Amino acid sequence: MRTKQSVINIIVSCTSYLILMLCTFITRGVFSRVLGLDYAGVESTFLNLVSMLAIVELGLGTGIIYKLYKPIADGDNRKIGMLLRFYKQSYLLIAAIVFALGVVAAFIAPQLVHDEQFPKAELAVYFMFYVLDVLASYLYAHKRAMLTADQRNFLNSFAHMIAQVTACILQVAVLLLFQSMFLYLVVKVAGRLLENLIISRAYQKRYPHIEYRRADRLEPTEKKDLFSNIKALLMHRIASFSLQSTSSVIIMYFQNSVSAGIYGNYTLITNALINLSNQLYNGIIASFGNLIATESKDKTQRNFNALYLLNYLIFSFFSISLFNLSRPFMELWIGKDAVFSNWVVLLITVYLYLMGMRQSVFMARSSAGLYRQDRWFAIGEAVINLVLSLIFIQFWGVIGIVAANIISLLAVP
């Protein structure tokens, strides 16, 4: 049963992600050509700033999903209801905090954009749309978690694909007809709301017997264990943000929006490749968690070794392809003015390989809920990356930023 569910999850997740990746590249290409690389730089920076606000989420989703594996395997609906109630109430609190921080950040974010063509009030409105998109993703997070833990992540993938393909078509139409970033962002938020409606319906159809609204509260000891993991996850999220999201912000501030826009295009490619591999591991993670809960350590180790070898094969192929094909692809996709030198591309390729080789390890760690053991290593990575980025950009520009990312990836682990 585990193998069957994993195969279904992987096929649906990978297929939907490939379709969405194509839609993303089409939308980004149209966006950059219609509105310009300046706007692309603004979008990359704002997306990264909003991901910083999302640190408030504390990794709660990952931290609680592994707690659902055993009660689902045991058919303990009462315990499932307790966990889902805790999950929903926590996300309501997180949404309120993120909204408040988003309002404050809306006054600060425009100051990072030095180009005078952008009115500050207009930038603040754009930024709030990115905040609203994040808030919309929190609405039914508890229902997404249940589908994931029950080895039905393919339903989440299907809902995401339907909503985002619809949004992509409408966003391209809006850009071509109206050249409006405002309408582009309205469609973005509407797509997220459509996804929520599809997920809610899928949940209600499959779990009408699980009552979480009036479920008992979690035991204090269980809350303590959860919060202990969540605190460790916060450290990992800070490190992840530092490695993946601060670069565009620093480039925008110390250089210009065009450089940030070009860097954002390359980041879109690397993130797309990493996220594509994530679809594979997201399809496996619930089954691997079930394996940990029900099988021997030796069998779990053998399965992990096979996945680690697969990880190596995937990212060897991705890295070689990125280095050889990124220049002609960029020229075709965005234009000849949006291409980095071979040295920058080489460093971006090394960064992709190092980040990619962590995917199977992260999958196993998430399945087992092991976040506390290496939490201080994650903070060490974040500090090294931020300090080196701020120093290196003064001397080597974008090359310095990517070099700082690579050094921080190698120095601590």
Side-chain angles (χ1 to χ4, degrees), residues 7 61 79 104 128 144 213 267 295 301 307 343 349 360 383 385 396:
V7 170
K79 183 64 174 292
V104 174
M128 282 307 301
R144 283 191 185 88
R213 294 180 181 85
T267 301
E295 301 288 350
Q301 181 71 53
L307 292 171
W343 281 110
T349 302
S360 55
V383 171
N385 181 60
W396 302 298

Side-chain angles (χ1 to χ4, degrees), residues 54 56-64 84-98 134-135 137-142 145 237:
V56 174
E57 189 257 353
L58 303 176
L60 179 64
T62 308
I64 203 171
L84 292 182
R85 175 184 175 178
F86 173 79
Y87 199 8
K88 181 180 180 181
Q89 290 177 339
S90 299
Y91 262 101
L92 288 175
L93 176 61
I94 289 168
I97 295 172
V98 170
V134 171
L135 293 176
S137 71
Y138 293 162
L139 285 178
Y140 295 125
H142 58 296
R237 287 181 69 83

Side-chain angles (χ1 to χ4, degrees), residues 262-307:
I262 297 172
Y263 182 81
N265 291 335
Y266 279 89
T267 301
L268 182 63
I269 296 174
T270 56
N271 286 345
L273 294 173
I274 290 172
N275 289 335
L276 179 59
S277 74
N278 280 342
Q279 304 311 305
L280 169 66
Y281 290 112
N282 287 342
I284 296 171
I285 190 168
S287 299
F288 199 83
N290 182 271
L291 184 75
I292 292 172
T294 59
E295 301 288 350
S296 68
K297 183 184 291 187
D298 287 341
K299 184 172 182 179
T300 304
Q301 181 71 53
R302 288 196 301 272
N303 278 267
F304 171 77
N305 290 342
L307 292 171

Side-chain angles (χ1 to χ4, degrees), residues 21-258:
M21 188 164 60
L22 176 62
C23 288
T24 300
F25 280 107
I26 292 172
T27 306
R28 179 78 175 190
V30 173
F31 183 95
S32 298
R33 288 180 180 274
V34 171
L35 298 180
L37 287 172
D38 290 334
Y39 275 93
V42 169
E43 181 178 52
S44 297
T45 301
F46 283 4
L47 284 170
N48 289 324
L49 286 172
V50 169
S51 70
M52 179 175 66
L53 294 179
I55 289 176
V56 174
E57 189 257 353
L58 303 176
L60 179 64
T62 308
I64 203 171
I65 285 175
Y66 88 95
K67 282 286 189 180
L68 285 165
Y69 295 140
K70 185 167 177 52
I72 288 174
D74 295 341
D76 189 349
N77 292 335
R78 176 178 174 274
K79 183 64 174 292
I80 294 171
M82 292 165 62
L83 287 166
L84 292 182
R85 175 184 175 178
F86 173 79
Y87 199 8
K88 181 180 180 181
Q89 290 177 339
S90 299
Y91 262 101
L92 288 175
L93 176 61
I94 289 168
I97 295 172
V98 170
F99 178 75
L101 292 175
V103 171
V104 174
F107 291 96
I108 301 171
Q111 308 309 317
L112 298 172
V113 182
H114 298 310
D115 294 1
E116 295 181 359
Q117 65 167 309
F118 299 108
K120 300 303 182 185
E122 183 179 311
L123 289 173
V125 172
Y126 293 160
F127 182 80
M128 282 307 301
F129 271 102
Y130 290 106
V131 174
L132 291 175
D133 184 54
V134 171
L135 293 176
S137 71
Y138 293 162
L139 285 178
Y140 295 125
H142 58 296
K143 296 181 179 180
R144 283 191 185 88
M146 182 62 193
L147 291 169
T148 299
D150 196 26
Q151 303 179 59
R152 298 178 185 274
N153 194 52
F154 64 91
L155 294 172
N156 289 329
S157 300
F158 182 75
H160 186 61
M161 179 183 68
I162 294 298
Q164 293 306 307
V165 168
T166 303
C168 171
I169 294 170
L170 293 175
Q171 283 178 317
V172 169
V174 162
L175 288 170
L176 293 176
L177 293 174
F178 304 104
Q179 293 84 47
S180 170
M181 187 169 180
F182 177 81
L183 293 177
Y184 167 88
L185 293 173
V186 169
V187 173
K188 181 181 181 68
V189 176
R192 184 75 70 176
L193 294 174
L194 174 61
E195 179 183 342
N196 286 336
L197 290 175
I198 298 171
I199 287 173
S200 180
R201 182 165 183 177
Y203 175 91
Q204 295 299 339
K205 183 178 179 179
R206 283 159 183 80
Y207 311 109
H209 55 285
I210 296 176
E211 177 55 59
Y212 62 85
R213 294 180 181 85
R214 292 185 292 275
D216 296 333
R217 295 180 183 276
L218 286 176
E219 296 292 333
T221 54
E222 191 139 31
K223 281 187 179 180
K224 183 179 179 181
D225 180 60
L226 266 174
F227 282 122
S228 179
N229 259 338
I230 287 169
K231 284 189 288 185
L233 269 167
L234 174 60
M235 296 182 180
H236 286 290
R237 287 181 69 83
I238 291 172
S240 177
F241 171 78
S242 175
L243 287 170
Q244 299 181 31
S245 300
T246 56
S247 299
S248 288
V249 179
I250 294 172
I251 293 171
M252 171 72 81
Y253 186 78
F254 285 98
Q255 294 199 315
N256 53 62
S257 59
V258 173

